[in-house]
mmCIF file of all heavy atoms in Angstrom:
data_model
loop_
_atom_site.group_PDB
_atom_site.id
_atom_site.type_symbol
_atom_site.label_atom_id
_atom_site.label_comp_id
_atom_site.label_asym_id
_atom_site.label_seq_id
_atom_site.Cartn_x
_atom_site.Cartn_y
_atom_site.Cartn_z
ATOM 1 N N MET A 86 -6.373 14.025 1.231
ATOM 2 C CA MET A 86 -5.454 12.898 1.487
ATOM 3 C C MET A 86 -6.105 11.744 2.119
ATOM 4 O O MET A 86 -5.745 10.574 1.905
ATOM 5 C CB MET A 86 -4.261 13.374 2.320
ATOM 6 C CG MET A 86 -3.340 14.405 1.566
ATOM 7 S SD MET A 86 -2.116 15.097 2.673
ATOM 8 C CE MET A 86 -0.919 13.710 2.731
ATOM 9 N N SER A 87 -7.128 11.952 2.999
ATOM 10 C CA SER A 87 -7.706 10.864 3.750
ATOM 11 C C SER A 87 -8.940 10.249 3.025
ATOM 12 O O SER A 87 -9.256 9.084 3.248
ATOM 13 C CB SER A 87 -8.133 11.348 5.123
ATOM 14 O OG SER A 87 -9.295 12.179 5.025
ATOM 15 N N GLY A 88 -9.609 11.074 2.220
ATOM 16 C CA GLY A 88 -10.837 10.584 1.573
ATOM 17 C C GLY A 88 -12.006 10.531 2.566
ATOM 18 O O GLY A 88 -13.110 10.065 2.188
ATOM 19 N N ARG A 89 -11.797 10.958 3.796
ATOM 20 C CA ARG A 89 -12.864 10.944 4.797
ATOM 21 C C ARG A 89 -13.517 12.312 4.870
ATOM 22 O O ARG A 89 -12.962 13.327 4.514
ATOM 23 C CB ARG A 89 -12.321 10.687 6.212
ATOM 24 C CG ARG A 89 -11.453 9.458 6.406
ATOM 25 C CD ARG A 89 -12.295 8.221 6.360
ATOM 26 N NE ARG A 89 -11.860 7.016 7.030
ATOM 27 C CZ ARG A 89 -10.724 6.428 6.851
ATOM 28 N NH1 ARG A 89 -9.788 6.884 6.028
ATOM 29 N NH2 ARG A 89 -10.411 5.266 7.475
ATOM 30 N N PRO A 90 -14.783 12.384 5.303
ATOM 31 C CA PRO A 90 -15.492 13.601 5.511
ATOM 32 C C PRO A 90 -14.719 14.439 6.574
ATOM 33 O O PRO A 90 -14.381 13.904 7.594
ATOM 34 C CB PRO A 90 -16.842 13.283 5.970
ATOM 35 C CG PRO A 90 -17.065 11.811 5.562
ATOM 36 C CD PRO A 90 -15.688 11.193 5.577
ATOM 37 N N VAL A 91 -14.514 15.713 6.270
ATOM 38 C CA VAL A 91 -13.883 16.648 7.198
ATOM 39 C C VAL A 91 -14.814 17.829 7.432
ATOM 40 O O VAL A 91 -15.355 18.342 6.498
ATOM 41 C CB VAL A 91 -12.503 17.047 6.712
ATOM 42 C CG1 VAL A 91 -11.856 18.101 7.638
ATOM 43 C CG2 VAL A 91 -11.563 15.896 6.499
ATOM 44 N N PHE A 92 -14.964 18.188 8.672
ATOM 45 C CA PHE A 92 -15.831 19.322 9.026
ATOM 46 C C PHE A 92 -15.073 20.383 9.831
ATOM 47 O O PHE A 92 -14.229 20.021 10.740
ATOM 48 C CB PHE A 92 -16.985 18.849 9.849
ATOM 49 C CG PHE A 92 -17.855 17.840 9.179
ATOM 50 C CD1 PHE A 92 -17.539 16.467 9.335
ATOM 51 C CD2 PHE A 92 -18.895 18.160 8.325
ATOM 52 C CE1 PHE A 92 -18.287 15.520 8.693
ATOM 53 C CE2 PHE A 92 -19.638 17.212 7.662
ATOM 54 C CZ PHE A 92 -19.373 15.851 7.856
ATOM 55 N N LEU A 93 -15.282 21.651 9.572
ATOM 56 C CA LEU A 93 -14.669 22.727 10.351
ATOM 57 C C LEU A 93 -15.655 23.122 11.447
ATOM 58 O O LEU A 93 -16.894 23.289 11.159
ATOM 59 C CB LEU A 93 -14.400 23.937 9.444
ATOM 60 C CG LEU A 93 -13.245 23.744 8.487
ATOM 61 C CD1 LEU A 93 -13.253 24.784 7.420
ATOM 62 C CD2 LEU A 93 -11.903 23.790 9.226
ATOM 63 N N VAL A 94 -15.159 23.266 12.647
ATOM 64 C CA VAL A 94 -16.010 23.599 13.795
ATOM 65 C C VAL A 94 -15.404 24.760 14.536
ATOM 66 O O VAL A 94 -14.196 24.751 14.858
ATOM 67 C CB VAL A 94 -16.126 22.384 14.772
ATOM 68 C CG1 VAL A 94 -16.991 22.783 15.977
ATOM 69 C CG2 VAL A 94 -16.744 21.157 14.028
ATOM 70 N N ASP A 95 -16.226 25.761 14.888
ATOM 71 C CA ASP A 95 -15.780 26.968 15.585
ATOM 72 C C ASP A 95 -15.129 26.514 16.898
ATOM 73 O O ASP A 95 -15.820 25.784 17.652
ATOM 74 C CB ASP A 95 -17.043 27.852 15.841
ATOM 75 C CG ASP A 95 -16.669 29.111 16.591
ATOM 76 O OD1 ASP A 95 -15.513 29.302 17.017
ATOM 77 O OD2 ASP A 95 -17.576 29.963 16.754
ATOM 78 N N GLU A 96 -13.923 26.880 17.128
ATOM 79 C CA GLU A 96 -13.310 26.438 18.338
ATOM 80 C C GLU A 96 -12.911 27.592 19.330
ATOM 81 O O GLU A 96 -12.071 27.429 20.166
ATOM 82 C CB GLU A 96 -12.029 25.675 18.013
ATOM 83 C CG GLU A 96 -10.914 26.491 17.423
ATOM 84 C CD GLU A 96 -9.533 25.837 17.515
ATOM 85 O OE1 GLU A 96 -9.455 24.666 17.626
ATOM 86 O OE2 GLU A 96 -8.588 26.627 17.541
ATOM 87 N N ARG A 97 -13.568 28.720 19.180
ATOM 88 C CA ARG A 97 -13.266 29.857 20.057
ATOM 89 C C ARG A 97 -13.432 29.365 21.531
ATOM 90 O O ARG A 97 -14.335 28.715 21.893
ATOM 91 C CB ARG A 97 -14.228 30.963 19.855
ATOM 92 C CG ARG A 97 -13.830 31.846 18.601
ATOM 93 C CD ARG A 97 -14.796 32.963 18.361
ATOM 94 N NE ARG A 97 -15.999 32.399 17.752
ATOM 95 C CZ ARG A 97 -16.993 33.066 17.264
ATOM 96 N NH1 ARG A 97 -16.964 34.382 17.333
ATOM 97 N NH2 ARG A 97 -18.026 32.479 16.653
ATOM 98 N N LEU A 98 -12.402 29.705 22.302
ATOM 99 C CA LEU A 98 -12.333 29.447 23.731
ATOM 100 C C LEU A 98 -12.010 27.968 24.122
ATOM 101 O O LEU A 98 -11.947 27.649 25.299
ATOM 102 C CB LEU A 98 -13.608 29.896 24.481
ATOM 103 C CG LEU A 98 -13.891 31.371 24.362
ATOM 104 C CD1 LEU A 98 -15.212 31.696 25.073
ATOM 105 C CD2 LEU A 98 -12.755 32.234 24.885
ATOM 106 N N THR A 99 -11.751 27.091 23.139
ATOM 107 C CA THR A 99 -11.472 25.675 23.530
ATOM 108 C C THR A 99 -10.137 25.683 24.321
ATOM 109 O O THR A 99 -10.027 24.881 25.210
ATOM 110 C CB THR A 99 -11.386 24.779 22.373
ATOM 111 O OG1 THR A 99 -10.418 25.255 21.434
ATOM 112 C CG2 THR A 99 -12.717 24.590 21.711
ATOM 113 N N THR A 100 -9.144 26.460 23.934
ATOM 114 C CA THR A 100 -7.870 26.387 24.613
ATOM 115 C C THR A 100 -8.046 26.946 26.041
ATOM 116 O O THR A 100 -7.456 26.404 26.989
ATOM 117 C CB THR A 100 -6.768 27.243 23.842
ATOM 118 O OG1 THR A 100 -6.661 26.658 22.540
ATOM 119 C CG2 THR A 100 -5.457 27.199 24.551
ATOM 120 N N VAL A 101 -8.866 27.973 26.266
ATOM 121 C CA VAL A 101 -9.121 28.508 27.547
ATOM 122 C C VAL A 101 -9.819 27.420 28.362
ATOM 123 O O VAL A 101 -9.412 27.187 29.543
ATOM 124 C CB VAL A 101 -10.015 29.780 27.473
ATOM 125 C CG1 VAL A 101 -10.502 30.194 28.851
ATOM 126 C CG2 VAL A 101 -9.267 30.912 26.772
ATOM 127 N N GLN A 102 -10.815 26.744 27.842
ATOM 128 C CA GLN A 102 -11.483 25.646 28.599
ATOM 129 C C GLN A 102 -10.526 24.511 28.859
ATOM 130 O O GLN A 102 -10.571 23.941 29.954
ATOM 131 C CB GLN A 102 -12.682 25.161 27.750
ATOM 132 C CG GLN A 102 -13.759 26.148 27.633
ATOM 133 C CD GLN A 102 -14.883 25.701 26.638
ATOM 134 O OE1 GLN A 102 -14.588 25.067 25.657
ATOM 135 N NE2 GLN A 102 -16.098 26.106 26.950
#
Side-chain angles (χ1 to χ4, degrees):
M86 294 172 79
S87 73
R89 304 290 203 305
V91 175
F92 302 91
L93 290 164
V94 178
D95 182 354
E96 70 159 24
R97 281 177 283 187
L98 300 179
T99 58
T100 301
V101 172
Q102 292 171 327

